[in-house]
Amino acid sequence: MTLRTLVATILLGLAAALPASAERLRWASQGDALSLDPHANNETMTLRFLANVYDALVTRDKNLKIVPWLATEWRVIEPTRWRFTLRRGVKFHDGGIMTAQDVAFSIKRAGSPTSGVSSHAAGIKAVEVIDDETLDIVTDAPRPTLLSQLANIYVMDRAWAERNNAIAVANNNAGLVGFTTLNENGTGAYRVKERVPDQRTVLVRNPDWWGTPAGNLTEIVFTPIKQPSTRLAALLSGEVDLINPVPLQDVDRIKATEGLKVVEMVEIRTLYFGMNQAVDRLSTGQPNPFKDHRVREAVYRAIDIEAIKRVVMRGAASPTGLLVGPGVEGYDKALDVRLPYDPARAKALLAEAGFPDGFAFQLHCPNDRYVNDEAICVAAVAMLARVGLKADLLSTTKSIHFKKLQTEDVDMYMQGWAPNSYDAYEAFFYNLATREQDKPEVRLGEGQGTWNSGRYRNPEFDRLLLRIASETDLAKRHELILQAHKIYTGDIALIPLHQQWIAWGVRDAVSVVPLADDSVVLNWISMKR
């Protein structure tokens, strides 16, 4: 199929599915939500998409501050006991009334072994129902990040889950598919009218939503369009109203097109390369060089991040030396220093480590998750080749990529992380804590190291995380986080790249409110009549 035919086919489907009107939004993004199960995937796009369908006890406002949502108030009645009062009269999409039993069930489900969001329930020891509108959350230690964690645990209807054999999480990354993969029953502002994975999802406003609509959208057709040129063509032709992300090379073209605009901001997400530091042999069969600090440093110094920013990202990136960036609690500008690009030093380090001629390995990258993800990896392959490192690039769609990172040992890989808690601890917990399957000396909670595909292991670092998790003195906690930064950067546990910039292309008639985590909050979007 030619590009022109592909564009025509997609646009015809969009037009047939939903004629344009003032209250209907046609939205296209580069990838689809991975599942409708609210506890299956801790992937930002999926979580933020489902936030339009499901609600949590708390949420974030336009200034990224935690605000009441399904819970109207809360208080700490003991250091490890929080009491929450629930909003009255909240209905699920099927008409059932939400109670504290549903909240307790959802938190337990989110923390279960098959859950993809289990770390958001980390440290929760018990949920005790006081009455239909009151519950206590008991933690195993003081938990300063509890509210941020709860913002990512969506509430399901327990009775609905029981009726549909959906007590267990249908975690697609673990090969589990169930009723909740394609069906939902949330309390959110929108409900799912139609769902065809990787093709189209139609949302309609929930007339019984407990909240007050801030926008005027009554229907949304969401279409994943992987190819940037095809996505751009859909916007330019008038067949969609919003695309994200905008191909960087086309930002100026959209700005110059009458009736269109570009909305830009820096995202809190940090992209990085990970290297497997635990396996004895690489995919090539040779002994694993990434176990050697000198080799990891060589890889780091071989990557010209400024060239990637200038050429691949067209300036729309902020190079970083840390796993988290500005806007995340625990970021420190003084520590945000990269190892200099130095191919000569990289070659010398490889020779010192016993690899004067380099070595071969596989580099795994997504091609539809981050801005210019595949192009970044292509550029990195060329840079690594200059110092004798032969990277075989394996580029796949995000669903395949992330599943591989969780189920297989890979040599080197690209990953990105936007802390949904806006706190460095979350990034550390997922990406750097010793994986549960590697039998850590320090237990931090269910799901630790879920995305630590480089299998970095440092017991000192894990012990520090345990202290960070329970320290309620914010100044002391910040100092502990700075210590953690120094440990993993000193170990070269991973290679930070940059924070990408968000660019949305929208029609002038569409008013949007993007957040630094790239959330598309449909309830905040309005279209001129």
Side-chain angles (χ1 to χ4, degrees):
M1 181 181 291
T2 66
L3 176 60
R4 180 175 296 179
T5 302
L6 178 61
V7 173
T9 301
I10 291 175
L11 299 185
L12 180 61
L14 284 171
L18 188 64
S21 78
E23 297 178 351
R24 293 173 176 173
L25 179 78
R26 297 157 300 170
W27 164 30
S29 189
Q30 66 180 357
D32 198 5
L34 298 174
S35 172
L36 292 185
D37 191 308
H39 307 139
N41 300 95
N42 194 40
E43 189 240 359
T44 302
M45 192 277 169
T46 300
L47 280 176
R48 296 298 166 250
F49 184 88
L50 292 179
N52 294 292
V53 176
Y54 283 94
D55 292 320
L57 289 179
V58 296
T59 192
R60 293 187 181 272
D61 64 13
K62 295 177 183 179
N63 297 313
L64 303 179
K65 303 299 182 183
I66 290 287
V67 294
W69 209 233
L70 291 181
T72 57
E73 59 182 2
W74 53 86
R75 58 192 176 96
V76 181
I77 58 178
E78 296 175 9
T80 59
R81 182 179 292 269
W82 297 54
R83 178 156 294 175
F84 291 83
T85 301
L86 303 184
R87 194 176 298 278
R88 295 182 177 183
V90 174
K91 292 182 179 180
F92 289 102
H93 292 162
D94 70 351
I97 300 297
M98 183 199 73
T99 71
Q101 297 285 354
D102 299 304
V103 178
F105 162 75
S106 299
I107 294 174
K108 180 179 179 181
R109 188 177 190 267
S112 65
T114 61
S115 170
V117 299
S118 57
S119 75
H120 295 302
I124 296 178
K125 185 177 180 180
V127 182
E128 300 176 0
V129 174
I130 307 301
D131 56 42
D132 282 353
E133 297 167 1
T134 313
L135 59 86
D136 285 358
I137 295 180
V138 182
T139 58
D140 55 10
R143 200 77 182 174
T145 59
L146 181 62
L147 293 178
S148 293
Q149 292 175 227
L150 294 174
N152 297 293
I153 297 179
Y154 300 136
V155 175
M156 293 180 65
D157 183 337
R158 183 183 67 170
W160 176 81
E162 291 173 346
R163 288 196 304 271
N164 293 289
N165 195 29
I167 298 297
V169 178
N171 188 332
N172 47 297
N173 279 328
L176 304 176
V177 177
F179 184 76
T180 48
T181 303
L182 296 174
N183 297 275
E184 60 82 13
N185 188 28
T187 61
Y190 292 89
R191 57 183 179 83
V192 177
K193 179 181 179 181
E194 180 184 358
R195 170 71 173 169
V196 183
D198 296 321
Q199 295 185 38
R200 183 177 65 257
T201 301
V202 180
L203 304 177
V204 294
R205 181 170 287 284
N206 173 17
D208 296 322
W209 187 48
W210 56 266
T212 302
N216 68 354
L217 300 184
T218 57
E219 194 165 14
I220 301 96
V221 164
F222 172 75
T223 306
I225 302 179
K226 178 179 176 180
Q227 292 298 326
S229 57
T230 310
R231 201 162 59 248
L232 174 67
L235 180 67
L236 294 176
S237 67
E239 297 299 329
V240 299
D241 308 299
L242 163 67
I243 64 171
N244 71 311
V246 171
L248 296 177
Q249 67 271 20
D250 295 313
V251 167
D252 291 340
R253 181 179 179 185
I254 293 176
K255 289 180 177 178
T257 301
E258 184 177 358
L260 299 179
K261 59 187 175 184
V262 175
V263 180
E264 298 174 278
M265 70 182 304
V266 179
E267 189 178 17
I268 63 168
R269 183 185 315 281
T270 297
L271 267 65
Y272 69 85
F273 284 134
M275 300 157 285
N276 197 315
Q277 299 157 52
V279 293
D280 292 328
R281 294 185 178 276
L282 298 181
S283 59
T284 58
Q286 76 172 94
N288 182 8
F290 293 126
K291 289 186 175 184
D292 192 313
H293 185 282
R294 293 168 296 183
V295 171
R296 299 196 300 275
E297 182 179 343
V299 176
Y300 197 142
R301 291 184 181 275
I303 296 173
D304 187 347
I305 195 64
E306 290 298 330
I308 290 175
K309 173 183 177 179
R310 183 179 65 255
V311 179
V312 180
M313 300 301 289
R314 297 175 180 258
S318 299
T320 184
L322 298 176
L323 182 56
V324 298
V328 176
E329 169 56 38
Y331 170 75
D332 188 272
K333 187 175 181 180
L335 296 180
D336 191 359
V337 180
R338 290 184 56 82
L339 288 179
Y341 168 60
D342 190 342
R345 179 60 181 152
K347 288 182 180 179
L349 285 165
L350 288 172
E352 289 175 20
F355 301 96
D357 299 321
F359 57 91
F361 59 94
Q362 291 182 340
L363 172 60
H364 293 260
C365 294
N367 56 26
D368 59 357
R369 178 60 189 98
Y370 312 117
V371 178
N372 285 359
D373 42 16
E374 184 175 25
I376 294 170
C377 291
V378 169
V381 167
M383 294 170 183
L384 294 171
R386 293 176 194 145
V387 301
L389 295 171
K390 308 167 189 67
D392 177 18
L393 177 59
L394 299 178
S395 178
T396 57
T397 186
K398 67 175 185 177
S399 58
I400 296 175
H401 175 73
F402 292 139
K403 183 175 181 180
K404 185 176 290 290
L405 293 192
Q406 288 200 310
T407 59
E408 300 178 23
D409 272 313
V410 297
D411 298 342
M412 183 171 170
Y413 60 96
M414 172 183 275
Q415 174 66 293
W417 200 263
N420 293 309
S421 63
Y422 290 80
D423 191 280
Y425 175 80
E426 180 196 319
F428 297 160
F429 181 95
Y430 274 118
N431 298 277
L432 292 169
T434 302
R435 302 190 316 169
E436 287 186 291
Q437 54 266 55
D438 287 338
K439 299 179 179 178
E441 296 176 24
V442 180
R443 296 285 304 180
L444 299 170
E446 192 76 35
Q448 71 180 69
T450 300
W451 294 102
N452 181 4
S453 300
R455 297 181 66 182
Y456 171 66
R457 185 187 188 111
N458 186 326
E460 179 189 359
F461 183 83
D462 290 344
R463 285 191 288 271
L464 194 56
L465 293 192
L466 196 61
R467 295 174 63 191
I468 293 170
S470 60
E471 180 57 68
T472 56
D473 183 307
L474 297 184
K476 291 181 180 179
R477 187 174 186 272
H478 187 78
E479 286 303 314
L480 293 174
I481 290 175
L482 299 191
Q483 291 179 38
H485 284 312
K486 293 175 183 178
I487 291 174
Y488 75 81
T489 56
D491 287 343
I492 310 182
L494 46 77
I495 301 174
L497 297 174
H498 59 239
Q499 283 91 39
Q500 62 188 23
W501 294 7
I502 299 169
W504 293 3
V506 295
R507 305 211 160 279
D508 285 342
V510 181
S511 174
V512 297
V513 184
L515 297 179
D517 62 2
D518 205 19
S519 294
V520 179
V521 183
L522 297 172
N523 184 51
W524 292 347
I525 297 178
S526 291
M527 301 184 71
K528 294 179 182 177
R529 300 174 184 274

